[in-house]
Amino acid sequence: MKLKLLLPVMAFSTIALAQNHNPNSAVYGNIEDALAHKATATQLNFRDKGIFFIPQEITQLRDLQFLNLMGNNLELLDENLFTLKKLEVLNLKLNALHYLPDEIGKLSHLIRLDVSDNNITALPVNIEKLQKLRFIHLSYNSLTALPDEIGQCSSLQAIEASGNQLSTLPESLSKLKGLKALQLGYNQFNEFDSSWLLMQNLNELNLEYNQLKKLPEDIGRLKNLKSLIVNSNRLEALPEGVTALQNLELLSLSKNNITKLPATLTGLQNLKTLILTGNPIAKTEQERIKKALPECSVYF
């Protein structure tokens, strides 16, 4: 697993929420206790149980809404899981899954799906049936592409897909008007696709550890962006359009080849943190940047 970079600030991720269980409802840690209260059981936590199969008895928990299967040995998802029609949160992180079956589309009430840290190489086209899905966690798998059908998940607010082998995104993502967070670090992106500029409600965009050589001149079209992270790419300069990001609060550019920033930085009126460590920026340019952004914490 790749090392995640820890920034000296708090990012604005809408996807960094915990397990999303209901604190007002009991969370059962074994199937026996859950079955003893199956009339009211809505939450089941099987985290780190070492299980290889989902127990058959789970099909009796018809009202289950929250299921945590993180940190087990699941290689396949059988039909038992897909009988849970009311499931809203499904955590399959840190298992041994190679794929998601088409039957995932049966879980039409899913709001959050976490399959990060598995061995998944592709997503099924039936992902489009998850019309209530808001958060999808795909990081640290072996994905080389996302299906075009993911753009039909009209409720999506956040896509976390760092640590894969992605080099492009489907254009259909630009149709997701509610998309606010896009995590694409540790992938194979060489270019910033112009279709990404249509995601105008994005608050957070993370492209760290890719191969980007430049950002588009009209990046200012992402007018709602609050956090832009492009550490460890191949940037040598920033376009003037960056200064049109008036809502930007965090700009992280460490470990690139940047020697100077745009001539006018006054448009970055809400910028609170600017990270430029690991760039060949001369002292005179550093002083100019700090003077232009007196309310911003700048790190060289």
mmCIF file of all heavy atoms in Angstrom, residues 187-231:
data_model
loop_
_atom_site.group_PDB
_atom_site.id
_atom_site.type_symbol
_atom_site.label_atom_id
_atom_site.label_comp_id
_atom_site.label_asym_id
_atom_site.label_seq_id
_atom_site.Cartn_x
_atom_site.Cartn_y
_atom_site.Cartn_z
ATOM 1 N N ASN A 187 -2.221 7.882 -9.219
ATOM 2 C CA ASN A 187 -2.712 7.229 -10.425
ATOM 3 C C ASN A 187 -1.745 7.502 -11.566
ATOM 4 O O ASN A 187 -0.556 7.740 -11.324
ATOM 5 C CB ASN A 187 -4.144 7.667 -10.736
ATOM 6 C CG ASN A 187 -5.182 6.865 -9.976
ATOM 7 O OD1 ASN A 187 -5.417 5.690 -10.265
ATOM 8 N ND2 ASN A 187 -5.813 7.482 -8.977
ATOM 9 N N GLN A 188 -2.247 7.478 -12.805
ATOM 10 C CA GLN A 188 -1.382 7.617 -13.986
ATOM 11 C C GLN A 188 -1.851 8.740 -14.903
ATOM 12 O O GLN A 188 -1.685 8.656 -16.119
ATOM 13 C CB GLN A 188 -1.368 6.284 -14.763
ATOM 14 C CG GLN A 188 -0.917 5.079 -13.967
ATOM 15 C CD GLN A 188 0.542 5.158 -13.564
ATOM 16 O OE1 GLN A 188 1.361 5.707 -14.281
ATOM 17 N NE2 GLN A 188 0.866 4.636 -12.383
ATOM 18 N N PHE A 189 -2.406 9.790 -14.342
ATOM 19 C CA PHE A 189 -2.907 10.886 -15.173
ATOM 20 C C PHE A 189 -1.759 11.736 -15.706
ATOM 21 O O PHE A 189 -0.942 12.249 -14.945
ATOM 22 C CB PHE A 189 -3.878 11.757 -14.377
ATOM 23 C CG PHE A 189 -5.164 11.073 -14.036
ATOM 24 C CD1 PHE A 189 -5.359 10.528 -12.777
ATOM 25 C CD2 PHE A 189 -6.169 10.956 -14.979
ATOM 26 C CE1 PHE A 189 -6.553 9.881 -12.458
ATOM 27 C CE2 PHE A 189 -7.352 10.310 -14.683
ATOM 28 C CZ PHE A 189 -7.547 9.769 -13.417
ATOM 29 N N ASN A 190 -1.734 11.903 -17.034
ATOM 30 C CA ASN A 190 -0.741 12.744 -17.691
ATOM 31 C C ASN A 190 -1.316 14.100 -18.072
ATOM 32 O O ASN A 190 -0.554 15.041 -18.323
ATOM 33 C CB ASN A 190 -0.212 12.066 -18.959
ATOM 34 C CG ASN A 190 0.601 10.829 -18.651
ATOM 35 O OD1 ASN A 190 1.568 10.892 -17.912
ATOM 36 N ND2 ASN A 190 0.202 9.692 -19.202
ATOM 37 N N GLU A 191 -2.636 14.180 -18.147
ATOM 38 C CA GLU A 191 -3.287 15.415 -18.573
ATOM 39 C C GLU A 191 -4.489 15.711 -17.691
ATOM 40 O O GLU A 191 -5.123 14.806 -17.142
ATOM 41 C CB GLU A 191 -3.746 15.315 -20.030
ATOM 42 C CG GLU A 191 -2.614 15.157 -21.031
ATOM 43 C CD GLU A 191 -3.120 15.114 -22.463
ATOM 44 O OE1 GLU A 191 -4.364 15.134 -22.654
ATOM 45 O OE2 GLU A 191 -2.290 15.067 -23.387
ATOM 46 N N PHE A 192 -4.789 16.974 -17.589
ATOM 47 C CA PHE A 192 -5.995 17.451 -16.918
ATOM 48 C C PHE A 192 -7.065 17.569 -17.998
ATOM 49 O O PHE A 192 -7.012 18.453 -18.847
ATOM 50 C CB PHE A 192 -5.710 18.819 -16.273
ATOM 51 C CG PHE A 192 -6.780 19.293 -15.330
ATOM 52 C CD1 PHE A 192 -6.543 19.349 -13.965
ATOM 53 C CD2 PHE A 192 -8.008 19.715 -15.805
ATOM 54 C CE1 PHE A 192 -7.516 19.792 -13.082
ATOM 55 C CE2 PHE A 192 -8.986 20.167 -14.951
ATOM 56 C CZ PHE A 192 -8.743 20.203 -13.582
ATOM 57 N N ASP A 193 -8.020 16.660 -17.981
ATOM 58 C CA ASP A 193 -9.025 16.595 -19.035
ATOM 59 C C ASP A 193 -9.955 17.798 -18.980
ATOM 60 O O ASP A 193 -10.422 18.188 -17.908
ATOM 61 C CB ASP A 193 -9.840 15.307 -18.895
ATOM 62 C CG ASP A 193 -10.632 14.984 -20.154
ATOM 63 O OD1 ASP A 193 -11.538 15.759 -20.488
ATOM 64 O OD2 ASP A 193 -10.331 13.962 -20.790
ATOM 65 N N SER A 194 -10.243 18.370 -20.136
ATOM 66 C CA SER A 194 -11.100 19.562 -20.189
ATOM 67 C C SER A 194 -12.508 19.284 -19.671
ATOM 68 O O SER A 194 -13.182 20.195 -19.177
ATOM 69 C CB SER A 194 -11.173 20.105 -21.619
ATOM 70 O OG SER A 194 -11.698 19.117 -22.504
ATOM 71 N N SER A 195 -12.961 18.031 -19.754
ATOM 72 C CA SER A 195 -14.308 17.708 -19.273
ATOM 73 C C SER A 195 -14.416 17.859 -17.765
ATOM 74 O O SER A 195 -15.517 18.068 -17.236
ATOM 75 C CB SER A 195 -14.705 16.285 -19.687
ATOM 76 O OG SER A 195 -13.915 15.312 -19.022
ATOM 77 N N TRP A 196 -13.293 17.799 -17.045
ATOM 78 C CA TRP A 196 -13.334 17.965 -15.599
ATOM 79 C C TRP A 196 -13.783 19.373 -15.214
ATOM 80 O O TRP A 196 -14.305 19.587 -14.126
ATOM 81 C CB TRP A 196 -11.976 17.678 -14.971
ATOM 82 C CG TRP A 196 -11.432 16.319 -15.247
ATOM 83 C CD1 TRP A 196 -12.064 15.284 -15.897
ATOM 84 C CD2 TRP A 196 -10.135 15.823 -14.909
ATOM 85 N NE1 TRP A 196 -11.244 14.196 -15.980
ATOM 86 C CE2 TRP A 196 -10.057 14.486 -15.387
ATOM 87 C CE3 TRP A 196 -9.049 16.372 -14.259
ATOM 88 C CZ2 TRP A 196 -8.920 13.695 -15.219
ATOM 89 C CZ3 TRP A 196 -7.911 15.586 -14.090
ATOM 90 C CH2 TRP A 196 -7.851 14.262 -14.562
ATOM 91 N N LEU A 197 -13.570 20.308 -16.113
ATOM 92 C CA LEU A 197 -13.952 21.699 -15.827
ATOM 93 C C LEU A 197 -15.459 21.886 -15.802
ATOM 94 O O LEU A 197 -15.951 22.933 -15.389
ATOM 95 C CB LEU A 197 -13.323 22.638 -16.859
ATOM 96 C CG LEU A 197 -11.790 22.654 -16.872
ATOM 97 C CD1 LEU A 197 -11.289 23.517 -18.025
ATOM 98 C CD2 LEU A 197 -11.235 23.159 -15.544
ATOM 99 N N LEU A 198 -16.186 20.865 -16.249
ATOM 100 C CA LEU A 198 -17.650 20.928 -16.201
ATOM 101 C C LEU A 198 -18.185 20.539 -14.827
ATOM 102 O O LEU A 198 -19.367 20.722 -14.557
ATOM 103 C CB LEU A 198 -18.249 20.010 -17.266
ATOM 104 C CG LEU A 198 -17.869 20.336 -18.715
ATOM 105 C CD1 LEU A 198 -18.444 19.293 -19.664
ATOM 106 C CD2 LEU A 198 -18.353 21.729 -19.103
ATOM 107 N N MET A 199 -17.316 20.022 -13.972
ATOM 108 C CA MET A 199 -17.722 19.630 -12.614
ATOM 109 C C MET A 199 -17.672 20.862 -11.710
ATOM 110 O O MET A 199 -16.864 20.963 -10.779
ATOM 111 C CB MET A 199 -16.800 18.536 -12.081
ATOM 112 C CG MET A 199 -16.709 17.313 -12.963
ATOM 113 S SD MET A 199 -15.507 16.108 -12.300
ATOM 114 C CE MET A 199 -15.308 15.017 -13.707
ATOM 115 N N GLN A 200 -18.537 21.812 -11.974
ATOM 116 C CA GLN A 200 -18.388 23.128 -11.381
ATOM 117 C C GLN A 200 -18.828 23.224 -9.930
ATOM 118 O O GLN A 200 -18.691 24.282 -9.308
ATOM 119 C CB GLN A 200 -19.097 24.177 -12.243
ATOM 120 C CG GLN A 200 -18.435 24.313 -13.600
ATOM 121 C CD GLN A 200 -18.981 25.443 -14.427
ATOM 122 O OE1 GLN A 200 -19.743 26.277 -13.952
ATOM 123 N NE2 GLN A 200 -18.612 25.485 -15.694
ATOM 124 N N ASN A 201 -19.342 22.142 -9.377
ATOM 125 C CA ASN A 201 -19.680 22.146 -7.948
ATOM 126 C C ASN A 201 -18.612 21.468 -7.101
ATOM 127 O O ASN A 201 -18.794 21.313 -5.891
ATOM 128 C CB ASN A 201 -21.035 21.469 -7.724
ATOM 129 C CG ASN A 201 -22.180 22.327 -8.224
ATOM 130 O OD1 ASN A 201 -22.228 23.514 -7.946
ATOM 131 N ND2 ASN A 201 -23.089 21.741 -8.987
ATOM 132 N N LEU A 202 -17.491 21.097 -7.708
ATOM 133 C CA LEU A 202 -16.406 20.475 -6.950
ATOM 134 C C LEU A 202 -15.898 21.413 -5.864
ATOM 135 O O LEU A 202 -15.611 22.582 -6.119
ATOM 136 C CB LEU A 202 -15.246 20.113 -7.870
ATOM 137 C CG LEU A 202 -15.237 18.768 -8.583
ATOM 138 C CD1 LEU A 202 -13.938 18.610 -9.356
ATOM 139 C CD2 LEU A 202 -15.439 17.606 -7.628
ATOM 140 N N ASN A 203 -15.785 20.886 -4.648
ATOM 141 C CA ASN A 203 -15.138 21.595 -3.544
ATOM 142 C C ASN A 203 -13.701 21.128 -3.366
ATOM 143 O O ASN A 203 -12.846 21.891 -2.924
ATOM 144 C CB ASN A 203 -15.865 21.345 -2.223
ATOM 145 C CG ASN A 203 -17.250 21.949 -2.174
ATOM 146 O OD1 ASN A 203 -18.095 21.506 -1.410
ATOM 147 N ND2 ASN A 203 -17.525 22.962 -2.978
ATOM 148 N N GLU A 204 -13.448 19.858 -3.677
ATOM 149 C CA GLU A 204 -12.135 19.259 -3.413
ATOM 150 C C GLU A 204 -11.669 18.438 -4.598
ATOM 151 O O GLU A 204 -12.409 17.584 -5.106
ATOM 152 C CB GLU A 204 -12.221 18.356 -2.179
ATOM 153 C CG GLU A 204 -10.932 17.638 -1.862
ATOM 154 C CD GLU A 204 -11.082 16.663 -0.707
ATOM 155 O OE1 GLU A 204 -12.123 16.698 -0.037
ATOM 156 O OE2 GLU A 204 -10.153 15.873 -0.484
ATOM 157 N N LEU A 205 -10.443 18.704 -5.051
ATOM 158 C CA LEU A 205 -9.839 17.943 -6.138
ATOM 159 C C LEU A 205 -8.416 17.579 -5.731
ATOM 160 O O LEU A 205 -7.581 18.455 -5.473
ATOM 161 C CB LEU A 205 -9.832 18.765 -7.430
ATOM 162 C CG LEU A 205 -9.176 18.115 -8.653
ATOM 163 C CD1 LEU A 205 -9.861 16.788 -9.006
ATOM 164 C CD2 LEU A 205 -9.208 19.061 -9.845
ATOM 165 N N ASN A 206 -8.138 16.283 -5.681
ATOM 166 C CA ASN A 206 -6.827 15.789 -5.278
ATOM 167 C C ASN A 206 -6.224 14.986 -6.422
ATOM 168 O O ASN A 206 -6.751 13.947 -6.813
ATOM 169 C CB ASN A 206 -6.938 14.923 -4.028
ATOM 170 C CG ASN A 206 -5.581 14.534 -3.457
ATOM 171 O OD1 ASN A 206 -4.595 14.439 -4.171
ATOM 172 N ND2 ASN A 206 -5.536 14.300 -2.155
ATOM 173 N N LEU A 207 -5.098 15.483 -6.959
ATOM 174 C CA LEU A 207 -4.406 14.837 -8.064
ATOM 175 C C LEU A 207 -2.935 14.583 -7.731
ATOM 176 O O LEU A 207 -2.092 14.521 -8.620
ATOM 177 C CB LEU A 207 -4.515 15.713 -9.319
ATOM 178 C CG LEU A 207 -5.893 15.742 -9.983
ATOM 179 C CD1 LEU A 207 -6.054 16.978 -10.847
ATOM 180 C CD2 LEU A 207 -6.130 14.484 -10.802
ATOM 181 N N GLU A 208 -2.623 14.446 -6.454
ATOM 182 C CA GLU A 208 -1.239 14.261 -6.051
ATOM 183 C C GLU A 208 -0.650 12.963 -6.610
ATOM 184 O O GLU A 208 -1.356 12.000 -6.866
ATOM 185 C CB GLU A 208 -1.117 14.283 -4.522
ATOM 186 C CG GLU A 208 -1.827 13.134 -3.843
ATOM 187 C CD GLU A 208 -1.768 13.227 -2.323
ATOM 188 O OE1 GLU A 208 -0.892 13.936 -1.798
ATOM 189 O OE2 GLU A 208 -2.612 12.590 -1.667
ATOM 190 N N TYR A 209 0.657 12.964 -6.828
ATOM 191 C CA TYR A 209 1.383 11.790 -7.306
ATOM 192 C C TYR A 209 0.810 11.244 -8.613
ATOM 193 O O TYR A 209 0.434 10.088 -8.743
ATOM 194 C CB TYR A 209 1.432 10.697 -6.237
ATOM 195 C CG TYR A 209 2.379 11.022 -5.113
ATOM 196 C CD1 TYR A 209 1.938 11.746 -4.003
ATOM 197 C CD2 TYR A 209 3.725 10.641 -5.162
ATOM 198 C CE1 TYR A 209 2.810 12.083 -2.974
ATOM 199 C CE2 TYR A 209 4.594 10.979 -4.133
ATOM 200 C CZ TYR A 209 4.135 11.693 -3.050
ATOM 201 O OH TYR A 209 5.001 12.028 -2.031
ATOM 202 N N ASN A 210 0.730 12.143 -9.609
ATOM 203 C CA ASN A 210 0.428 11.756 -10.975
ATOM 204 C C ASN A 210 1.557 12.283 -11.866
ATOM 205 O O ASN A 210 2.670 12.488 -11.383
ATOM 206 C CB ASN A 210 -0.948 12.275 -11.386
ATOM 207 C CG ASN A 210 -2.073 11.386 -10.885
ATOM 208 O OD1 ASN A 210 -2.333 10.325 -11.447
ATOM 209 N ND2 ASN A 210 -2.739 11.791 -9.811
ATOM 210 N N GLN A 211 1.272 12.504 -13.155
ATOM 211 C CA GLN A 211 2.296 12.951 -14.099
ATOM 212 C C GLN A 211 1.866 14.208 -14.844
ATOM 213 O O GLN A 211 2.229 14.412 -16.001
ATOM 214 C CB GLN A 211 2.599 11.826 -15.107
ATOM 215 C CG GLN A 211 3.096 10.534 -14.499
ATOM 216 C CD GLN A 211 4.462 10.676 -13.871
ATOM 217 O OE1 GLN A 211 5.326 11.384 -14.383
ATOM 218 N NE2 GLN A 211 4.684 10.007 -12.741
ATOM 219 N N LEU A 212 1.102 15.053 -14.177
ATOM 220 C CA LEU A 212 0.596 16.252 -14.833
ATOM 221 C C LEU A 212 1.727 17.243 -15.112
ATOM 222 O O LEU A 212 2.515 17.566 -14.225
ATOM 223 C CB LEU A 212 -0.458 16.926 -13.962
ATOM 224 C CG LEU A 212 -1.722 16.118 -13.640
ATOM 225 C CD1 LEU A 212 -2.625 16.908 -12.716
ATOM 226 C CD2 LEU A 212 -2.459 15.735 -14.916
ATOM 227 N N LYS A 213 1.755 17.750 -16.335
ATOM 228 C CA LYS A 213 2.757 18.746 -16.713
ATOM 229 C C LYS A 213 2.209 20.164 -16.623
ATOM 230 O O LYS A 213 2.986 21.118 -16.516
ATOM 231 C CB LYS A 213 3.259 18.478 -18.135
ATOM 232 C CG LYS A 213 4.011 17.161 -18.273
ATOM 233 C CD LYS A 213 4.470 16.958 -19.700
ATOM 234 C CE LYS A 213 5.221 15.639 -19.853
ATOM 235 N NZ LYS A 213 5.656 15.400 -21.259
ATOM 236 N N LYS A 214 0.883 20.295 -16.697
ATOM 237 C CA LYS A 214 0.291 21.623 -16.617
ATOM 238 C C LYS A 214 -1.164 21.522 -16.191
ATOM 239 O O LYS A 214 -1.797 20.462 -16.293
ATOM 240 C CB LYS A 214 0.404 22.353 -17.950
ATOM 241 C CG LYS A 214 -0.329 21.686 -19.097
ATOM 242 C CD LYS A 214 -0.162 22.487 -20.386
ATOM 243 C CE LYS A 214 -0.937 21.820 -21.532
ATOM 244 N NZ LYS A 214 -0.814 22.602 -22.790
ATOM 245 N N LEU A 215 -1.690 22.639 -15.707
ATOM 246 C CA LEU A 215 -3.111 22.794 -15.407
ATOM 247 C C LEU A 215 -3.723 23.666 -16.489
ATOM 248 O O LEU A 215 -3.041 24.518 -17.067
ATOM 249 C CB LEU A 215 -3.294 23.426 -14.028
ATOM 250 C CG LEU A 215 -2.735 22.635 -12.839
ATOM 251 C CD1 LEU A 215 -2.961 23.406 -11.543
ATOM 252 C CD2 LEU A 215 -3.360 21.253 -12.743
ATOM 253 N N PRO A 216 -4.997 23.491 -16.791
ATOM 254 C CA PRO A 216 -5.609 24.257 -17.885
ATOM 255 C C PRO A 216 -5.724 25.744 -17.568
ATOM 256 O O PRO A 216 -5.899 26.135 -16.413
ATOM 257 C CB PRO A 216 -6.993 23.609 -18.030
ATOM 258 C CG PRO A 216 -7.278 23.018 -16.704
ATOM 259 C CD PRO A 216 -5.957 22.563 -16.153
ATOM 260 N N GLU A 217 -5.638 26.567 -18.600
ATOM 261 C CA GLU A 217 -5.734 28.014 -18.425
ATOM 262 C C GLU A 217 -7.059 28.436 -17.801
ATOM 263 O O GLU A 217 -7.118 29.394 -17.034
ATOM 264 C CB GLU A 217 -5.562 28.721 -19.779
ATOM 265 C CG GLU A 217 -4.157 28.643 -20.350
ATOM 266 C CD GLU A 217 -3.141 29.415 -19.512
ATOM 267 O OE1 GLU A 217 -3.548 30.379 -18.830
ATOM 268 O OE2 GLU A 217 -1.954 29.042 -19.545
ATOM 269 N N ASP A 218 -8.118 27.708 -18.125
ATOM 270 C CA ASP A 218 -9.442 28.081 -17.620
ATOM 271 C C ASP A 218 -9.845 27.280 -16.388
ATOM 272 O O ASP A 218 -11.034 27.035 -16.155
ATOM 273 C CB ASP A 218 -10.506 27.952 -18.710
ATOM 274 C CG ASP A 218 -10.460 26.619 -19.453
ATOM 275 O OD1 ASP A 218 -9.523 25.837 -19.195
ATOM 276 O OD2 ASP A 218 -11.348 26.374 -20.285
ATOM 277 N N ILE A 219 -8.875 26.905 -15.574
ATOM 278 C CA ILE A 219 -9.186 26.166 -14.344
ATOM 279 C C ILE A 219 -10.053 26.997 -13.414
ATOM 280 O O ILE A 219 -10.741 26.463 -12.547
ATOM 281 C CB ILE A 219 -7.895 25.715 -13.623
ATOM 282 C CG1 ILE A 219 -8.229 24.656 -12.561
ATOM 283 C CG2 ILE A 219 -7.133 26.908 -13.056
ATOM 284 C CD1 ILE A 219 -7.021 23.989 -11.941
ATOM 285 N N GLY A 220 -10.070 28.289 -13.612
ATOM 286 C CA GLY A 220 -10.912 29.168 -12.801
ATOM 287 C C GLY A 220 -12.394 28.891 -12.941
ATOM 288 O O GLY A 220 -13.200 29.385 -12.141
ATOM 289 N N ARG A 221 -12.770 28.073 -13.916
ATOM 290 C CA ARG A 221 -14.179 27.687 -14.067
ATOM 291 C C ARG A 221 -14.664 26.831 -12.905
ATOM 292 O O ARG A 221 -15.867 26.737 -12.664
ATOM 293 C CB ARG A 221 -14.381 26.952 -15.398
ATOM 294 C CG ARG A 221 -14.229 27.841 -16.619
ATOM 295 C CD ARG A 221 -14.156 27.043 -17.896
ATOM 296 N NE ARG A 221 -15.348 26.219 -18.106
ATOM 297 C CZ ARG A 221 -15.479 25.358 -19.106
ATOM 298 N NH1 ARG A 221 -14.496 25.188 -19.977
ATOM 299 N NH2 ARG A 221 -16.597 24.644 -19.240
ATOM 300 N N LEU A 222 -13.720 26.220 -12.189
ATOM 301 C CA LEU A 222 -14.093 25.434 -11.004
ATOM 302 C C LEU A 222 -14.278 26.396 -9.827
ATOM 303 O O LEU A 222 -13.549 26.368 -8.838
ATOM 304 C CB LEU A 222 -13.019 24.387 -10.704
ATOM 305 C CG LEU A 222 -12.795 23.338 -11.803
ATOM 306 C CD1 LEU A 222 -11.640 22.424 -11.436
ATOM 307 C CD2 LEU A 222 -14.065 22.530 -12.056
ATOM 308 N N LYS A 223 -15.264 27.239 -9.951
ATOM 309 C CA LYS A 223 -15.420 28.395 -9.063
ATOM 310 C C LYS A 223 -15.734 28.025 -7.621
ATOM 311 O O LYS A 223 -15.551 28.853 -6.719
ATOM 312 C CB LYS A 223 -16.515 29.316 -9.611
ATOM 313 C CG LYS A 223 -17.861 28.624 -9.789
ATOM 314 C CD LYS A 223 -18.855 29.547 -10.470
ATOM 315 C CE LYS A 223 -20.189 28.818 -10.703
ATOM 316 N NZ LYS A 223 -21.175 29.702 -11.376
ATOM 317 N N ASN A 224 -16.185 26.803 -7.366
ATOM 318 C CA ASN A 224 -16.508 26.398 -5.997
ATOM 319 C C ASN A 224 -15.385 25.625 -5.316
ATOM 320 O O ASN A 224 -15.541 25.183 -4.176
ATOM 321 C CB ASN A 224 -17.788 25.552 -5.987
ATOM 322 C CG ASN A 224 -19.017 26.380 -6.292
ATOM 323 O OD1 ASN A 224 -19.276 27.367 -5.616
ATOM 324 N ND2 ASN A 224 -19.764 26.006 -7.322
ATOM 325 N N LEU A 225 -14.260 25.497 -5.995
ATOM 326 C CA LEU A 225 -13.159 24.708 -5.456
ATOM 327 C C LEU A 225 -12.577 25.361 -4.206
ATOM 328 O O LEU A 225 -12.239 26.548 -4.198
ATOM 329 C CB LEU A 225 -12.079 24.564 -6.522
ATOM 330 C CG LEU A 225 -11.163 23.346 -6.444
ATOM 331 C CD1 LEU A 225 -11.968 22.060 -6.541
ATOM 332 C CD2 LEU A 225 -10.117 23.404 -7.550
ATOM 333 N N LYS A 226 -12.468 24.552 -3.147
ATOM 334 C CA LYS A 226 -11.875 25.019 -1.893
ATOM 335 C C LYS A 226 -10.512 24.382 -1.634
ATOM 336 O O LYS A 226 -9.685 24.956 -0.927
ATOM 337 C CB LYS A 226 -12.812 24.706 -0.718
ATOM 338 C CG LYS A 226 -14.105 25.495 -0.735
ATOM 339 C CD LYS A 226 -14.938 25.188 0.510
ATOM 340 C CE LYS A 226 -16.213 26.015 0.544
ATOM 341 N NZ LYS A 226 -17.014 25.731 1.757
ATOM 342 N N SER A 227 -10.300 23.197 -2.175
ATOM 343 C CA SER A 227 -9.047 22.475 -1.939
ATOM 344 C C SER A 227 -8.547 21.891 -3.248
ATOM 345 O O SER A 227 -9.254 21.131 -3.906
ATOM 346 C CB SER A 227 -9.280 21.353 -0.916
ATOM 347 O OG SER A 227 -8.142 20.546 -0.792
ATOM 348 N N LEU A 228 -7.320 22.278 -3.624
ATOM 349 C CA LEU A 228 -6.679 21.758 -4.830
ATOM 350 C C LEU A 228 -5.307 21.217 -4.429
ATOM 351 O O LEU A 228 -4.435 21.964 -3.981
ATOM 352 C CB LEU A 228 -6.539 22.857 -5.880
ATOM 353 C CG LEU A 228 -5.804 22.463 -7.171
ATOM 354 C CD1 LEU A 228 -6.498 21.291 -7.867
ATOM 355 C CD2 LEU A 228 -5.700 23.659 -8.111
ATOM 356 N N ILE A 229 -5.128 19.901 -4.589
ATOM 357 C CA ILE A 229 -3.895 19.234 -4.174
ATOM 358 C C ILE A 229 -3.258 18.580 -5.399
ATOM 359 O O ILE A 229 -3.832 17.666 -5.989
ATOM 360 C CB ILE A 229 -4.177 18.182 -3.084
ATOM 361 C CG1 ILE A 229 -4.811 18.855 -1.856
ATOM 362 C CG2 ILE A 229 -2.894 17.450 -2.692
ATOM 363 C CD1 ILE A 229 -5.271 17.894 -0.785
ATOM 364 N N VAL A 230 -2.097 19.094 -5.799
ATOM 365 C CA VAL A 230 -1.386 18.538 -6.957
ATOM 366 C C VAL A 230 0.094 18.324 -6.610
ATOM 367 O O VAL A 230 0.987 18.594 -7.407
ATOM 368 C CB VAL A 230 -1.539 19.434 -8.213
ATOM 369 C CG1 VAL A 230 -2.884 19.210 -8.866
ATOM 370 C CG2 VAL A 230 -1.338 20.900 -7.886
ATOM 371 N N ASN A 231 0.350 17.830 -5.420
ATOM 372 C CA ASN A 231 1.711 17.489 -5.009
ATOM 373 C C ASN A 231 2.319 16.456 -5.946
ATOM 374 O O ASN A 231 1.612 15.605 -6.500
ATOM 375 C CB ASN A 231 1.719 16.860 -3.605
ATOM 376 C CG ASN A 231 1.030 17.704 -2.572
ATOM 377 O OD1 ASN A 231 1.056 18.919 -2.636
ATOM 378 N ND2 ASN A 231 0.405 17.043 -1.616
#
